[in-house]
Amino acid sequence: MKLMPWKRGSAVSEDKSASIVVEGARKATGGRTRNRVLMTMAVFFSLYGAIGGRLVYLGLQDPESGGGPGSRVTASRPDIVDRNGEVLATDIKTASLFAEPRRIVDADEVIEKLSTVLPDIEVEQTYHKLKSGTGFVWLKRQLTPKQQNDIMQLGIPGIGFRTEKRRFYPGGATASHILGLTNIDNQGISGLEKYIDDQGLADLQASGLAVASDLQPVKLSVDIRVQHIVHDEVSRAMEKYHSIAAGAVVLNVKTGEVVAMASVPDYDPNNPYNAHEKDRLNRMSAGLYEMGSTIKSFTTAMALDSGKVTLESRFDATRPITIGRQTIRDFHGKGRVLTVPEVFIYSSNIGSAREADVVGIEGHREFLHRMGLLDRMKTELPEVAKPTEPKVWKKVHSITAAFGHGFSTTPMQTAVGAAALMNGGYLMNPTFLPRTAEEAIAGATKVVDDKTSADMRYLYLLNATAPGGSGKRATVPGYRVGGKTGTAEKVVNGRYSSTVRFNAFVAAFPMDDPQYIVLSVIDEPKPEKPGMPATAGMNAAPIVANIIRRSAPMLGVKPEFGQESKPLLVSY
């Protein structure tokens, strides 16, 4: 058929239109494919970008911030600081060595190489660990930087390091019995470290919320400057008098704050290999002793507070007292009637026994409980011993307790009781945390009246200044120091020994308005020189004097020269 010209043009147009449609469809399909590819690429780039960004973030993240890698296996602890903000305990980073037994080819070779750096490694135990086939085992915790570097140089496959935390104590042994210890997992196991855990830190650690940046420092009442002095003096005394132990405490009379406390032998908390040896216990709060004549402070205070005795009262000390098989004698007897001040400064056992007899057996026992000497002391320190006393008190028990025999208490409790005699009669639980005088009084118990406290301040000063007083070696020029000695015979093979002693001296200063109690103890001292006595006045009292001389300026107590000989006014 022959087409007409317009018909022929239409056919051509139809062919072209079809071609255009096909080409458009092809382009549309290609466009969609490219879009899908681009979208897929964008998704993968976004995914890998996010993963890469997270890896960079984790790589830069401080493990201490709580979002760190799995190498953070030990929990953080707060710093412990003294009353002036000086750091006493803090966390430091350390490396610990681990192995992946599944990757260990030759356990013997690994042990052989490690022993060149860690000679004390337990060979048999380590061998069993490396052959266990598990995914992870600890080999050595808390390495030194040198040990870590030396092990890295060995190039042993299948071992690695994890960053942990360990506790560091800048002062070493200086305050070890106060601060205590942590275990390998940085958990408190003794001292104030344990107390802090018991206040909620352990729960935070268990929940993973113990993040270093969120933990505020724990401030103590301790002054590390005074703590150093006390530690230094008791260490010197132990060596000088060849004793088996010594200790001392400085207590704020107005607040009950422990400013310093030391007991030697002690240990270095940074290397506590010997901390659990029995002779390294904290004797100030965990040691029980018959405190000897320091207890006469409480016997005299009890008699005065009863209202039946005054400073003018007299007691017959002309001859020993015999009760059953017990004979009570004076160490340096005067063989005459003594006034109450003479009973105190001459430390008369006979006079003290007669003071107790005025009050009676039950009244005596009640007073010692009232003063906190026979009950377990309440304070933050976990290491506190429970005093011992006779189950049933008879007259012989009251008589011997009058001069510090027959019951045992801690030196810290003796210092706390003495503080109550000096501060107007307020017994305060001792604290290692800051406390104001108002807070202390609010929680205190009134145990003796104001007049009794004033009388005891007078007797303390008299004992250090009067002829024949046993406290002369505790005096310090410029400070009015008063106190009481205690020379207690120790029990050896079931009998009191006249040559083995536990000595103590309890002092207060300045006596016009006592601010601090200082109590020292020294266990089984030897004479300083042949022929010299080893009594408390000769060794425990000088410890106190040295502590006061060195620490009083730091405690803010100003010296007043020329005041020592002036009588103390007794105000009621």
Side-chain angles (χ1 to χ4, degrees):
M1 179 180 68
K2 190 175 181 179
L3 295 176
M4 297 301 289
W6 65 84
K7 294 285 185 180
R8 192 182 301 119
S10 296
V12 172
S13 297
E14 289 177 2
D15 290 343
K16 288 183 178 180
S17 298
S19 298
I20 291 171
V21 170
V22 171
E23 183 66 25
R26 187 182 296 115
K27 288 182 179 179
T29 302
R32 285 196 295 270
T33 301
R34 283 195 300 272
N35 288 340
R36 289 194 188 101
V37 171
L38 290 173
M39 288 177 64
T40 303
M41 291 176 62
V43 169
F44 275 102
F45 277 124
S46 299
L47 179 62
Y48 284 111
I51 294 173
R54 182 62 177 170
L55 290 175
V56 171
Y57 170 77
L58 292 176
L60 297 175
Q61 183 79 351
D62 182 359
E64 300 299 321
S65 66
S71 63
R72 188 174 62 85
V73 294
T74 46
S76 297
R77 301 185 64 79
D79 286 354
I80 301 178
V81 299
D82 82 336
R83 66 187 306 116
N84 300 311
E86 294 295 325
V87 175
L88 305 179
T90 190
D91 282 349
I92 61 172
K93 294 179 182 178
T94 184
S96 289
L97 178 66
F98 71 90
E100 299 172 274
R102 293 172 186 169
R103 296 180 55 200
I104 299 298
V105 177
D106 189 339
D108 291 315
E109 182 183 5
V110 172
I111 294 173
E112 183 179 351
K113 288 184 176 181
L114 288 177
S115 62
T116 62
V117 180
L118 306 172
D120 59 341
I121 193 170
E122 294 286 344
V123 176
E124 186 175 351
Q125 183 182 21
T126 305
Y127 180 82
H128 287 305
K129 286 182 178 180
L130 296 177
K131 299 294 286 184
S132 65
T134 59
F136 178 95
V137 291
W138 286 117
L139 296 182
K140 181 72 173 179
R141 306 285 288 275
Q142 298 183 352
L143 301 171
T144 66
K146 184 179 187 306
Q147 288 173 328
Q148 181 186 12
N149 182 68
D150 290 346
I151 293 172
M152 290 176 66
Q153 300 303 317
L154 297 175
I156 305 173
I159 68 169
F161 304 92
R162 282 191 173 183
T163 300
E164 295 195 280
K165 298 182 200 68
R166 63 169 294 184
R167 210 59 166 157
F168 176 65
Y169 303 89
T174 304
S176 58
H177 283 306
I178 296 176
L179 299 173
L181 290 170
T182 59
N183 61 15
I184 195 73
D185 295 313
N186 219 23
Q187 297 169 333
I189 57 175
S190 66
L192 291 181
E193 293 280 26
K194 186 176 188 305
Y195 168 79
I196 293 169
D197 280 36
D198 293 342
Q199 300 309 299
L201 178 63
D203 294 334
L204 284 176
Q205 290 177 332
S207 62
L209 299 177
V211 180
S213 58
D214 297 335
L215 298 175
Q216 295 299 314
V218 176
K219 179 176 282 191
L220 304 186
S221 59
V222 173
D223 187 323
I224 192 59
R225 302 169 302 172
V226 181
Q227 178 67 28
H228 169 75
I229 291 169
V230 170
H231 184 267
D232 182 55
E233 288 298 334
V234 297
S235 300
R236 289 170 181 260
M238 182 177 167
E239 180 180 355
K240 181 177 181 179
Y241 301 111
H242 306 286
S243 66
I244 64 172
V249 61
V250 178
L251 190 72
N252 188 311
V253 169
K254 308 290 187 181
T255 65
E257 295 171 299
V258 178
V259 180
M261 182 195 71
S263 172
V264 291
D266 53 12
Y267 56 88
D268 183 354
N270 295 313
N271 184 27
Y273 68 95
N274 56 356
H276 298 295
E277 294 178 2
K278 64 179 182 179
D279 67 328
R280 295 180 189 275
L281 86 160
N282 178 10
R283 286 170 165 80
M284 300 308 293
S285 66
L288 292 174
Y289 303 98
E290 294 185 349
M291 292 299 295
S293 293
T294 58
I295 299 300
K296 292 173 183 174
S297 299
F298 305 103
T299 305
T300 299
M302 173 184 67
L304 293 170
D305 204 60
S306 71
K308 300 176 182 179
V309 175
T310 68
L311 291 178
E312 289 73 34
S313 298
R314 296 172 178 270
F315 293 96
D316 186 2
T318 55
R319 59 181 62 86
I321 297 174
T322 300
I323 178 168
R325 297 181 180 180
Q326 297 270 11
T327 300
I328 311 304
R329 296 183 174 87
D330 285 342
F331 187 65
H332 291 299
K334 301 300 179 181
R336 61 179 176 81
V337 174
L338 302 175
T339 64
V340 168
E342 288 177 325
V343 169
F344 192 80
I345 65 174
Y346 298 145
S347 200
S348 170
N349 293 339
I350 299 170
S352 296
R354 297 199 185 282
E355 287 178 338
D357 196 39
V358 169
V359 178
I361 299 170
E362 287 306 314
H364 189 182
R365 186 182 187 185
E366 184 278 328
F367 186 82
L368 293 179
H369 274 284
R370 192 197 315 170
M371 297 303 300
L373 295 172
L374 299 181
D375 299 303
R376 192 175 189 273
M377 180 174 63
K378 295 179 180 179
T379 188
E380 298 84 12
L381 211 62
E383 295 78 24
V384 175
K386 187 180 187 303
T388 62
E389 60 170 315
K391 290 184 178 180
V392 178
W393 277 53
K394 299 180 180 179
K395 188 169 184 177
V396 65
H397 299 126
S398 180
I399 286 177
T400 56
F403 49 87
H405 280 199
F407 76 92
S408 298
T409 190
T410 68
M412 176 72 85
Q413 285 171 273
T414 308
V416 171
L421 298 182
M422 296 293 108
N423 68 11
Y426 293 95
L427 184 69
M428 306 168 181
N429 290 329
T431 181
F432 290 83
L433 304 176
R435 183 166 65 191
T436 65
E438 292 73 21
E439 291 170 338
I441 289 293
T445 302
K446 183 78 168 176
V447 288
V448 297
D449 63 31
D450 294 345
K451 183 179 185 301
T452 301
S453 180
D455 286 347
M456 292 309 301
R457 292 197 294 270
Y458 168 76
L459 292 176
Y460 263 42
L461 182 61
L462 187 68
N463 191 42
T465 56
S470 60
K472 286 188 173 296
R473 288 178 175 265
T475 57
V476 180
Y479 301 95
R480 288 159 71 81
V481 180
K484 184 72 186 75
T485 52
T487 303
E489 296 177 347
K490 293 183 69 174
V491 176
V492 179
N493 298 324
R495 299 175 63 88
Y496 284 104
S497 170
S498 61
T499 59
V500 183
R501 301 181 176 94
F502 181 84
N503 294 349
F505 191 88
V506 56
F509 78 100
M511 291 309 304
D512 306 86
D513 181 19
Q515 302 295 313
Y516 296 96
I517 287 285
V518 183
L519 182 142
S520 68
V521 298
I522 187 160
D523 197 357
E524 298 187 18
K526 309 300 185 295
E528 183 179 356
K529 296 178 181 178
M532 293 179 65
T535 58
M538 299 297 293
N539 42 54
I543 297 174
V544 168
N546 292 338
I547 290 173
I548 294 174
R549 183 181 300 108
R550 296 175 62 184
S551 66
M554 299 175 185
L555 295 171
V557 182
K558 297 179 180 180
E560 295 184 11
F561 296 100
Q563 300 292 315
E564 293 83 355
S565 60
K566 291 185 179 180
L568 181 67
L569 296 177
V570 181
S571 57
Y572 307 136

